[in-house]
Amino acid sequence: MAGSNGTTEDVSVLTFQQIYKLDLDVGLSTKTAVTVLTSLFFCFVNCVMFFTLRSKRVFYETPRYILFGHMLMNDSVLLLVTTVMYTLALCFLPIPKSVCTLLVFISHCTFRNAPLTLAVMSLERYVAICFPLRHCSIATPKRTRIAIGIIWLLSSINFITDIILVLVIDTSYLSGILFCTLEKLFLFQWQLDKYQAFDVLYFVSVAVIIIFTYISIMITARSVSSDKDSAKKALKTVLLHLIQLGLCLTSFLYTIIERTLYMLTGNSFSLFLNLIYLNYLITLILPRCLSPLIYGMRDEAVWPLFKYFFCCRLCKVRPSVNVH
């Protein structure tokens, strides 16, 4: 629940305090239960799909499935951490600052890992179609895992440097208890402005990479007569990555929508609570639930196996794997 220091954040804290006093009823418990159960269900779905990828050696030796597995793990962790933070905010429960720092760090990294992973997945498809003879030597499992390491480095370095900075300025920084938000962890407004600038840079860069790979694959598909089916599949995959990026972008609308809702609802705190709850489900939870599921459903090798394991192996015949 991001906001700027001294404005939206203070309003949000005050709002939750008053809501908490007014809304300690079955409604609050129901909202919390729905949020937790929804996240747990889709985490379970992601875990089954991840287990599916681990069930066949070909999956964890193929770069695009290694990246898909990373996306599943990343989104599952993000769902769990986001749910924990939102439940704490919904119930207005303060926590130790050290715990808050850890939660925000994980949510920050996993949130920014998603678009970067999509960019790498698009580049892998670009190499597979535009440079098919060199694909096996360029996109190796080892290089794919190195790329995942670089993704984590890029997503975490901004937060780590800020934490080191505030620890140098204030050695007792991690002591105390607070209402956990990103803004509470920083000392200066320019740190938040820097975060917004980096977020714009991340998403614009990823959008450019995905659009570039889509256009390149489209040109290759038209100019090469052989293996057009693979090129068409790659085009659909990269287009799906662009749609997934759009789903990721909806998360950035959360704060803007929250501010707008607060101004529109005025002093109706109960209405505000209900609206931001819907905002949370639609802009934060739903995109993270749908993105891996959509990608897995359209994969002809993963989906039959996923259904087999999801149904607790009740199918009589185990599907075969055919990876292209």
Side-chain angles (χ1 to χ4, degrees):
M1 277 67 78
S4 51
N5 281 335
T7 56
T8 305
E9 180 201 354
D10 295 333
V11 166
S12 297
V13 173
L14 177 62
T15 300
F16 276 115
Q17 285 177 321
Q18 297 187 47
I19 291 171
Y20 187 64
K21 294 174 183 177
L22 294 172
D23 203 30
L24 281 175
D25 55 10
V26 178
L28 181 61
S29 301
T30 302
K31 291 181 181 72
T32 305
V34 170
T35 301
V36 172
L37 291 176
T38 301
S39 297
L40 289 178
F41 173 75
F42 281 101
C43 283
F44 169 73
V45 171
N46 286 353
C47 288
V48 173
M49 200 169 291
F50 186 79
F51 177 78
T52 301
L53 295 179
R54 300 298 298 178
S55 66
K56 294 287 186 179
R57 187 178 182 86
V58 65
F59 285 138
Y60 53 88
E61 290 183 347
T62 305
R64 68 188 174 108
Y65 290 114
I66 294 173
L67 291 168
F68 181 41
H70 174 254
M71 182 171 70
L72 289 170
M73 180 198 70
N74 184 81
D75 282 0
S76 298
V77 172
L78 178 59
L79 266 177
L80 290 174
V81 174
T82 303
T83 301
V84 169
M85 293 181 67
Y86 185 78
T87 303
L88 290 171
L90 194 65
C91 300
F92 196 70
L93 296 175
I95 60 174
K97 200 169 187 178
S98 56
V99 176
C100 177
T101 302
L102 178 62
L103 290 175
V104 172
F105 173 72
I106 296 173
S107 65
H108 171 86
C109 292
T110 50
F111 178 72
R112 282 145 191 85
N113 280 346
L116 294 175
T117 302
L118 291 175
V120 177
M121 293 174 81
S122 297
L123 287 172
E124 189 274 332
R125 288 293 85 197
Y126 164 74
V127 173
I129 300 303
C130 298
F131 305 98
L133 298 179
R134 300 179 59 193
H135 178 252
C136 291
S137 59
I138 295 176
T140 63
K142 181 179 179 181
R143 289 184 177 180
T144 303
R145 294 184 178 95
I146 291 173
I148 291 173
I150 294 173
I151 287 171
W152 278 91
L153 177 64
L154 290 176
S155 63
S156 64
I157 191 168
N158 192 21
F159 188 90
I160 291 174
T161 52
D162 277 333
I163 294 298
I164 293 174
L165 173 65
V166 294
L167 281 173
V168 170
I169 295 174
D170 182 9
T171 53
S172 61
Y173 167 77
L174 293 178
S175 62
I177 298 177
L178 80 167
F179 178 80
C180 190
T181 63
L182 176 67
E183 294 76 15
K184 287 283 188 179
L185 298 180
F186 297 136
L187 302 178
F188 309 105
Q189 177 61 37
W190 62 263
Q191 291 177 295
L192 295 173
D193 295 336
K194 178 167 63 71
Y195 265 78
Q196 294 176 357
F198 268 91
D199 287 341
V200 172
L201 177 63
Y202 278 143
F203 276 83
V204 170
S205 301
V206 171
V208 169
I209 290 172
I210 293 177
I211 292 171
F212 165 76
T213 55
Y214 183 84
I215 294 173
S216 299
I217 292 172
M218 183 172 59
I219 293 172
T220 302
R222 289 180 177 179
S223 60
V224 179
S225 57
S226 61
D227 206 14
K228 280 194 173 182
D229 289 340
S230 296
K232 287 180 180 179
K233 287 181 180 179
L235 274 176
K236 291 180 181 179
T237 300
V238 175
L239 182 60
L240 178 61
H241 293 166
L242 192 59
I243 295 172
Q244 288 175 291
L245 180 64
L247 289 174
C248 291
L249 281 171
T250 60
S251 302
F252 280 107
L253 299 176
Y254 178 83
T255 303
I256 298 172
I257 295 174
E258 186 184 73
R259 291 173 181 173
T260 305
L261 291 175
Y262 180 77
M263 290 187 291
L264 292 176
T265 54
N267 293 323
S268 181
F269 296 114
S270 248
L271 177 60
F272 177 70
L273 176 63
N274 292 327
L275 290 177
I276 63 170
Y277 174 72
L278 291 175
N279 180 35
Y280 168 75
L281 287 180
I282 294 171
T283 61
L284 290 184
I285 292 294
L286 192 61
R288 298 302 176 183
C289 296
L290 292 179
S291 184
L293 189 61
I294 293 172
Y295 190 90
M297 286 176 65
R298 69 170 300 275
D299 192 288
E300 297 173 358
V302 173
W303 187 241
L305 270 175
F306 167 77
K307 289 190 293 184
Y308 173 78
F309 287 114
F310 189 76
C311 296
C312 301
R313 304 183 182 183
L314 295 178
C315 302
K316 294 182 179 180
V317 180
R318 180 170 179 170
S320 59
V321 177
N322 185 19
V323 179
H324 298 288

